[in-house]
Amino acid sequence: MTDRRRFLDSMDCYLITDSGLSRRGTVHDVERAVSAGCAVVQYREKNKSTREMVAEARALSALCAGRALFLVNDRLDVALASGADGVHIGQDDMPFSDARRLLGPDRIIGLTVHDLAEAEEAVRLGADYVGLSPIFATSTKKDAGRACGVERIAEVRRRISLPIVVVGGITRENAAETVRMGADAVAAISAVVCADDVAAEVRAFREIVIEAKLRP
């Protein structure tokens, strides 16, 4: 658990994969992101069979081993089959208690939250971190809901000590503001996987987040 916690505590740019948007493929994106220092990768895949997902997740898990935390979105079966470090689940996915029972005490479980009540419940349940979403309007996830704005980050930060990853419409232009309001890391999706140079984009986001953390 120590090594997994180290990656979680050091995160700044958090990559969520999207094969539908990716220009060169998920494996390429993850390899380049990890080479640029991305500490956490969340594998989100909606377009492939379970067999294909397991094969790809195993390749990604091997890429991330010792270099980044590798999490699978929603699919506990894929996480277990691929040896992932954990999962990220949403409010409508498997109940948290069941996910913890199946994964055991040592793997990471992140939980999507939309407001303070859900964030406080995540703490009560024992989540390792929360993904606060959506901060800004986004077209990446059609069912993301109404943007909550940066003020929600500050509200949640005041009440919980878990790491906060912000998701939804994050760009280079607004990333620093989210960190100043209390985010620990920004989850970039289209801004990274659609970039000409994934590694350069990850480095740019990391620099923005690190600088924002140094300037309260």
Side-chain angles (χ1 to χ4, degrees):
M1 185 64 172
T2 302
D3 286 342
R4 287 170 176 157
R5 176 61 58 182
R6 173 172 59 85
F7 286 120
L8 196 61
D9 290 344
S10 67
M11 64 181 171
D12 36 54
C13 182
Y14 175 119
L15 176 66
I16 300 176
T17 69
D18 190 320
S19 63
L21 293 174
S22 176
R23 299 180 63 178
R24 297 176 180 86
T26 296
V27 173
H28 170 275
D29 293 343
V30 171
E31 192 283 324
R32 297 295 290 153
V34 171
S35 73
C38 184
V40 183
V41 172
Q42 182 191 138
Y43 177 53
R44 188 171 74 182
E45 178 56 64
K46 304 294 185 182
N47 303 313
K48 296 180 179 178
S49 70
T50 296
R51 184 181 294 272
E52 290 171 323
M53 287 182 67
V54 169
E56 187 164 60
R58 284 175 175 162
L60 298 177
S61 184
L63 270 177
C64 291
R67 305 165 70 197
L69 198 65
F70 177 62
L71 309 176
V72 176
N73 186 67
D74 296 350
R75 297 288 300 270
L76 272 74
D77 56 338
V78 175
L80 288 168
S82 65
D85 294 297
V87 296
H88 184 90
I89 55 178
Q91 292 293 319
D92 297 326
D93 296 324
M94 178 181 290
F96 186 94
S97 58
D98 291 331
R100 178 56 75 198
R101 176 175 55 81
L102 291 168
L103 285 179
D106 294 335
R107 285 197 169 112
I108 298 292
I109 304 181
L111 186 60
T112 293
V113 302
H114 307 95
D115 54 35
L116 178 58
E118 291 180 352
E120 290 180 326
E121 178 66 1
V123 174
R124 187 191 70 78
L125 290 169
D128 294 288
Y129 71 96
V130 298
L132 184 58
S133 170
I135 304 303
F136 305 105
T138 176
S139 60
T140 302
K141 191 175 181 184
K142 302 301 183 184
D143 59 349
R146 179 181 297 179
C148 63
V150 294
E151 294 79 11
R152 183 67 52 79
I153 305 171
E155 179 187 29
V156 172
R157 177 79 290 162
R158 286 192 294 268
R159 297 290 292 273
I160 75 168
S161 59
L162 290 180
I164 299 172
V165 179
V166 289
V167 187
I170 307 299
T171 66
R172 289 198 205 182
E173 290 69 33
N174 59 36
E177 182 182 14
T178 69
V179 176
R180 287 193 291 267
M181 295 299 276
D184 294 286
V186 298
I189 307 174
S190 58
V192 170
V193 302
C194 296
D196 290 332
D197 187 330
V198 169
E201 199 68 18
V202 168
R203 283 193 293 268
F205 270 103
R206 293 192 66 220
E207 289 172 4
I208 290 167
V209 172
I210 291 167
E211 182 177 354
K213 287 181 177 180
L214 292 174
R215 296 186 179 185

